[in-house]
Amino acid sequence: MTNQSFPRDFVWGAATASYQIEGAVNAGGRGPSIWDTFSHIPGNVALNHTGDVACDHYHRWREDIALMKQLGLGAYRFSIAWPRILPEGTGRVNPDGLRFYSDLVDGLLEAGITPWVTLYHWDLPQPLEDRGGWPSREIVQAFVEYTDVVTRHLGDRVKHWITLNEPHVFTFVGYGGGRHAPGRDDQFEAARASHHALLAHGEAMRVIRANVPGAVAGITLNMSKVYPATPSEPDAQAAAIVDASLNRWFAGPVFGQGYPPELLAFYQSQGEFVKPGDMQTIAAPVDFLGINNYFPIYATADPRQPHGLSTLTPEELAAAGHTLTEMGWPVVPQGLVDLLIDLHETYRPAALYITENGAAFADELSEGAVHDARRVQYLHDHLSALADVTAGGVPLRGYFVWSLLDNFEWGHGYTKRFGIVYMDYETLRRIPKDSYHWYRQTVANNQPAPLAE
Ligand code: IFM
């Protein structure tokens, strides 16, 4: 173990997303999003939960800023709901939507917290889905229009911009697996959608640079280190394919290395979607790469599965001795270290930020407190590993814990709690957990706080 202090200008943050916390889906002129539609179809979300109320952050944001201020946060990463800004997706701008985010930004700046804005964290305006959604190339122009409106309005005060959150999830899970909105299930459509998402990112980078002097802009990808489940050659090949689909399919184009050729050939076998000039647009220089990471993946060759491979299930991981979170994800801090080293060596990004990391556990409120020792342990072990990797020369510049508040965990509804602040969904009371207090000490000392004896 090396010195566990982070560099003096290390950014300490927390992250959330609009649909997961705002609620107030019909307030202030907001239009419907694909997640409103999807979550209201019975059976799509655990217990048929929806984001209708969520944490009611739309009305309680001042209270949430106070929590962040007490935490000593340097930065807050939140996303803007496209349907609050352009209720029809394009065309008419909704001034109340802009005002909400403008007030939020002012409140953050007054509290000494730097806003980090994600433009898209999955709540696509439903009218755009009705016009074809991400698989339709028209979406790129719509995203440019939306980015232009938002950056013109907030760019005087917001300098940190993230174009997209986790394009892998909203394209391959939303259009290719049916488990997320809009619930379509066609892997070729999903690949097309992912190309348009990357193209939208590249075009948006240009708009951000034009509208925001001094912008610091990039993209957030969900990435995992992929290990072969065993040292066998077939498992190594399975791991290489999973790595190409999850990681290289997105990071390759962003950093000018293109799509993995074998995957591109496969996905374009049902119709080409890459047009001349696209790859140059996507490779617009970024100031940083944001990484959302929670766990590594263990891949294995499996001839019974469609692509001849599978990944270890929670049951298999538990049998192999892994500690699992409530999501069934293995806790392996070394996975994050190995991932960062790979990214640094392969793409040489100017800066890396962990834009999400954290864990869901079945927290209980007891006598006004939440003793979430397993989350504290998770954060402690990941941040200790990150301190080492940063000292070793990887340009990691900041860390955003997921999440500030327990919130709507997509298909799991409110059944999975990731927050360092507990939400009593009956009363909407916010109760800081032990992990909140631990994180406050960590932020204050610029190094992972010790674990309680
Ligand atoms: O809650 C999500 C978030 O919206 C995107 N990244 C992963 C988190 C936990 O699943």
Side-chain angles (χ1 to χ4, degrees):
M1 194 199 285
T2 53
N3 174 9
Q4 292 275 286
S5 287
F6 284 89
R8 253 194 311 178
D9 53 357
F10 194 77
V11 174
W12 290 103
T16 65
S18 45
Y19 190 73
Q20 295 183 271
I21 64 165
E22 285 180 4
V25 291
N26 296 315
R30 177 185 180 278
S33 80
I34 55 174
W35 268 96
D36 297 290
T37 310
F38 185 79
S39 66
H40 277 267
I41 297 171
N44 277 349
V45 174
L47 306 177
N48 293 327
H49 286 161
T50 72
D52 289 1
V53 177
C55 307
D56 196 31
H57 170 80
Y58 184 80
H59 295 113
R60 295 166 196 252
W61 58 270
R62 289 181 183 81
E63 192 184 335
D64 294 335
I65 290 180
L67 280 166
M68 293 181 224
K69 195 172 172 185
Q70 280 162 29
L71 191 52
L73 277 195
Y76 173 51
R77 171 178 177 240
F78 63 97
S79 76
I80 294 197
W82 188 344
R84 287 201 192 278
I85 307 300
L86 292 143
E88 288 87 32
T90 53
R92 183 177 64 89
V93 175
N94 173 32
D96 286 353
L98 284 173
R99 194 168 313 118
F100 169 67
Y101 293 109
S102 183
D103 289 350
L104 177 65
V105 163
D106 287 344
L108 287 165
L109 292 173
E110 257 168 52
I113 299 166
T114 304
W116 281 58
V117 168
T118 305
L119 284 161
Y120 186 75
H121 197 130
W122 308 357
D123 38 4
L124 186 71
Q126 182 62 43
L128 288 180
E129 176 58 21
D130 298 342
R131 281 151 55 185
W134 287 100
S136 157
R137 201 172 162 105
E138 265 182 56
I139 195 88
V140 177
Q141 201 42 46
F143 190 68
V144 164
E145 182 181 332
Y146 161 61
T147 302
D148 186 53
V149 171
V150 174
T151 51
R152 274 181 199 282
H153 200 79
L154 300 180
D156 56 337
R157 288 155 291 157
V158 175
K159 299 298 172 192
H160 295 84
W161 296 90
I162 294 171
T163 53
L164 304 176
N165 181 72
E166 302 185 6
H168 171 85
V169 176
F170 72 78
T171 58
F172 281 97
V173 184
Y175 291 90
R179 284 177 288 117
H180 275 200
R184 294 205 238 162
D185 189 7
D186 178 329
Q187 59 177 328
F188 296 100
E189 286 281 278
R192 182 181 292 275
S194 70
H195 180 65
H196 297 152
L198 287 172
L199 204 50
H201 152 76
E203 293 283 5
M205 288 297 300
R206 184 179 48 75
V207 177
I208 294 168
R209 299 235 188 268
N211 290 351
V212 185
V216 179
I219 186 170
T220 278
L221 304 177
N222 57 301
M223 309 193 94
S224 283
K225 175 72 188 177
V226 186
Y227 298 112
T230 73
S232 75
E233 183 50 32
D235 281 3
Q237 280 173 18
I241 296 171
V242 176
D243 181 50
S245 320
L246 173 70
N247 298 322
R248 291 197 291 124
W249 181 260
F250 292 90
V254 167
F255 289 99
Q257 298 185 14
Y259 290 112
E262 62 291 357
L263 273 187
L264 183 62
F266 172 70
Y267 286 133
Q268 290 210 115
S269 63
Q270 305 265 315
E272 295 205 349
F273 44 78
V274 179
K275 296 210 186 319
D278 285 3
M279 301 316 287
Q280 285 85 333
T281 302
I282 295 172
V286 288
D287 299 311
F288 63 86
L289 173 63
I291 295 154
N292 292 356
N293 173 265
Y294 294 83
F295 57 91
I297 292 172
Y298 297 85
T300 182
D302 183 349
R304 293 162 304 177
Q305 299 300 324
H307 295 286
L309 57 85
S310 63
T311 56
L312 295 193
T313 62
E315 295 70 31
E316 290 165 332
L317 291 164
H322 283 285
T323 303
L324 303 183
T325 70
E326 196 63 13
M327 297 291 281
W329 296 343
V331 179
V332 187
Q334 187 61 35
L336 179 49
V337 169
D338 291 344
L339 173 70
L340 291 181
I341 292 172
D342 281 0
L343 292 174
H344 175 54
E345 287 176 354
T346 312
Y347 304 110
R348 295 274 157 193
L352 291 160
Y353 288 87
I354 302 299
T355 41
E356 288 182 24
N357 173 249
F361 289 108
D363 301 316
E364 278 171 25
L365 178 62
S366 139
E367 296 174 3
V370 179
H371 301 304
D372 57 337
R374 287 178 296 175
R375 181 173 296 100
V376 171
Q377 179 89 50
Y378 179 99
L379 297 177
H380 171 274
D381 293 354
H382 280 77
L383 279 164
S384 298
L386 289 174
D388 290 346
V389 87
T390 307
V394 169
L396 180 69
R397 305 280 182 248
Y399 177 90
F400 292 76
V401 65
W402 183 271
S403 180
L404 179 69
L405 308 170
D406 290 337
N407 58 48
F408 178 80
E409 178 54 26
W410 309 110
H412 299 279
Y414 300 101
T415 65
K416 304 286 184 236
R417 293 178 178 273
F418 275 90
I420 57 172
V421 174
Y422 183 90
M423 279 294 310
D424 178 343
Y425 290 110
E426 297 288 307
T427 61
L428 297 174
R429 197 157 68 92
R430 281 106 163 107
I431 300 123
K433 304 179 189 176
D434 286 358
S435 55
Y436 172 98
H437 300 296
W438 179 88
Y439 195 51
R440 187 173 50 172
Q441 224 187 313
T442 295
V443 171
N445 297 332
N446 203 32
Q447 59 180 321
L451 295 169
E453 293 295 304

